[in-house]
């Protein structure tokens, strides 16, 4: 058991940790098959390069970026990118599900948010606020609207004061719902989308790896899974691999087709 003193223990709310903690090594394993769009790859690499040149930026009195926000549909790699960054920066990942934090006790959200930022100030990490659109989203009651306005103000302050060796990453499905004042405080923005054909092909080849397969199977998978998210592609290929193992056969078209029908991904039309 590792001993932690108060300042490096994940802050708790109502006796439960407010965040999950992952070591850089755990993050490496998760993010090993990540596929970026060309644009996002460029943005991420530049971000990492800059963080590796802090001294030089200080010399020129140019501030370094430390707040990234990611937008895009489910299953396209937002959460995965947080793991990837943690691994590349050799920092632990501290994953906070903001919706859960808010809904379990709205009245304390402001102080909980402060505690998390304080933790990140004292402990270098990638502080990842997932389901970030939960900020600002309210139910009808007036009290809640007021309370949420206070939370937004706290968050704005925390964002303004955020400095040190940690970086902040936030992810949301809903770009348009983000408060404009919050939005402009992020120095790095990335948009995620469903994989195009090349990305899908690359991801499939990573997933199939050295698994024994029928001739030209990857072409078939790529075509058959058009419109699927990365997360869907992963689940379907995994299912098909299980079927292949059970049946002691190579991976084949029929298994992919069966896995697809069983999994029934919600494919966007057009
Ligand atoms: N770009 C990607 N490259 C490789 N794998 C991916 C990618 N996107 C998603 N996956 C796979 O799908 C799983 C879910 O992805 P992830 O959690 O990053 O999605 P998300 O964009 O955060 O979705 P949500 O909006 O639902 O939170 C990942 O664990 C990974 O296995
Ligand atoms: Mg996610």
């Amino acid at each position: 058991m590792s001993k932690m003193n108060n300042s490096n223990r994940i802050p708790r709310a109502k006796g439960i940790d407010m965040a999950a903690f992952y070591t850089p090594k755990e993050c490496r394993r998760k993010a090993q098959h990540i596929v970026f769009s060309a644009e996002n790859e460029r943005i991420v690499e530049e971000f990492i390069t800059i963080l590796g040149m802090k001294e030089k930026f200080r010399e020129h009195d140019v501030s370094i970026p430390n707040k990234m926000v990611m937008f895009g549909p489910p299953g396209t790699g937002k959460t995965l990118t947080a793991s990837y960054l943690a691994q590349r920066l050799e920092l632990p990942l501290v994953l906070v599900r903001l919706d859960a934090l808010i809904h379990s006790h709205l009245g304390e959200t402001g102080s909980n948010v402060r505690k998390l930022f304080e933790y990140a100030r004292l402990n270098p990490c990638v502080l990842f606020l997932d389901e970030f659109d939960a900020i600002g989203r309210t139910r009808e009651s007036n009290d809640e609207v007021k309370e949420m306005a206070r939370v937004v103000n706290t968050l704005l302050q925390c964002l303004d004061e955020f400095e040190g060796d940690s970086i902040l990453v936030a992810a949301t499905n809903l770009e348009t719902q983000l408060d404009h004042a919050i939005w402009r405080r992020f120095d790095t923005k990335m948009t995620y989308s469903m994989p195009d054909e090349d990305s899908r092909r690359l991801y499939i080849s990573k997933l199939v790896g050295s698994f024994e397969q029928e001739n030209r199977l990857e072409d078939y998978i790529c075509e058959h899974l058009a419109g699927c998210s990365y997360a869907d592609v992963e689940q379907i290929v995994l299912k098909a691999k299980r079927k292949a193992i059970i049946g002691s056969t190579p991976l084949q078209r029929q298994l992919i087709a069966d896995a697809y029908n069983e999994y029934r991904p919600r494919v966007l039309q057009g």
Side-chain angles (χ1 to χ4, degrees):
M1 255 212 307
S2 64
K3 279 204 186 132
M4 285 189 166
N5 64 35
N6 277 335
S7 70
N8 59 21
R9 184 179 290 155
I10 295 282
R12 311 189 102 201
K14 300 236 161 89
I16 298 169
D17 283 356
M18 282 190 246
F21 183 96
Y22 301 94
T23 64
K25 201 170 160 195
E26 288 169 313
C27 292
R28 172 187 301 275
R29 196 182 49 73
K30 277 201 202 175
Q32 61 182 336
H33 294 320
I34 196 164
V35 176
F36 284 115
S37 67
E39 174 69 357
N40 285 352
E41 175 148 29
R42 191 189 60 69
I43 294 171
V44 166
E45 285 305 321
E46 188 175 287
F47 190 85
I48 294 169
T49 302
I50 294 173
L51 289 175
M53 297 173 67
K54 278 186 181 169
E55 281 310 313
K56 198 127 201 167
F57 278 75
R58 245 171 241 142
E59 267 171 41
H60 290 278
D61 198 23
V62 173
S63 67
I64 52 163
N66 63 0
K67 294 187 263 314
M68 177 187 285
V69 65
M70 304 182 283
F71 300 105
T76 52
K78 301 181 297 297
T79 301
L80 201 60
T81 299
S83 292
Y84 180 78
L85 282 170
Q87 171 229 314
R88 288 286 306 273
L89 298 169
E90 293 176 39
L91 291 171
L93 174 65
V94 174
L95 190 157
V96 185
R97 290 220 14 227
L98 221 49
D99 56 339
L101 191 68
I102 290 172
H103 289 139
S104 51
H105 16 253
L106 177 60
E108 287 134 51
T109 307
S111 77
N112 286 340
V113 165
R114 268 192 210 289
K115 282 183 201 159
L116 286 163
F117 275 79
E118 176 66 4
Y119 173 90
R121 192 177 68 78
L122 298 171
N123 305 278
C125 66
V126 172
L127 178 61
F128 178 43
L129 306 181
D130 209 356
E131 319 290 342
F132 193 60
D133 42 285
I135 279 282
R137 206 199 299 141
T138 40
R139 283 175 246 156
E140 303 81 61
S141 92
N142 241 338
D143 284 353
E144 279 196 18
V145 172
K146 278 189 207 146
E147 186 58 41
M148 193 58 94
R150 274 193 285 273
V151 174
V152 169
N153 276 333
T154 303
L155 185 68
L156 291 175
Q157 249 178 34
C158 288
L159 288 171
D160 282 341
E161 292 162 7
F162 188 72
E163 56 180 27
D165 292 326
S166 289
I167 66 160
L168 178 74
V169 182
T172 170
N173 295 139
L174 309 156
E175 173 170 0
T176 48
Q177 284 201 357
L178 262 198
D179 187 291
H180 183 75
I182 293 180
W183 152 258
R184 70 175 181 79
R185 281 171 166 83
F186 284 87
D187 45 57
T188 308
K189 287 153 190 153
M190 300 221 290
T191 304
Y192 286 72
S193 40
M194 304 292 257
D196 60 15
E197 190 180 329
D198 286 348
S199 305
R200 194 163 59 245
R201 188 175 298 278
L202 174 60
Y203 189 46
I204 289 165
S205 75
K206 289 184 183 208
L207 290 177
V208 173
S210 58
F211 206 94
E212 197 192 346
Q213 58 169 303
E214 204 176 54
N215 196 22
R216 298 191 62 89
L217 179 73
E218 288 180 15
D219 291 342
Y220 172 82
I221 305 179
C222 191
E223 229 171 87
H224 200 69
L225 303 195
C228 287
S229 69
Y230 290 95
D232 292 339
V233 171
E234 180 185 41
Q235 290 305 315
I236 291 165
V237 171
L238 196 62
K239 235 180 207 311
K241 274 187 176 177
R242 291 196 193 108
K243 290 177 189 299
I245 293 170
I246 295 172
S248 304
T249 63
L251 207 51
Q252 34 186 293
R253 286 169 179 69
Q254 189 57 51
L255 298 183
I256 295 290
D258 291 347
Y260 181 95
N261 291 334
E262 274 178 37
Y263 180 74
R264 294 196 290 152
R266 283 214 216 138
V267 175
L268 293 176
Q269 301 298 323

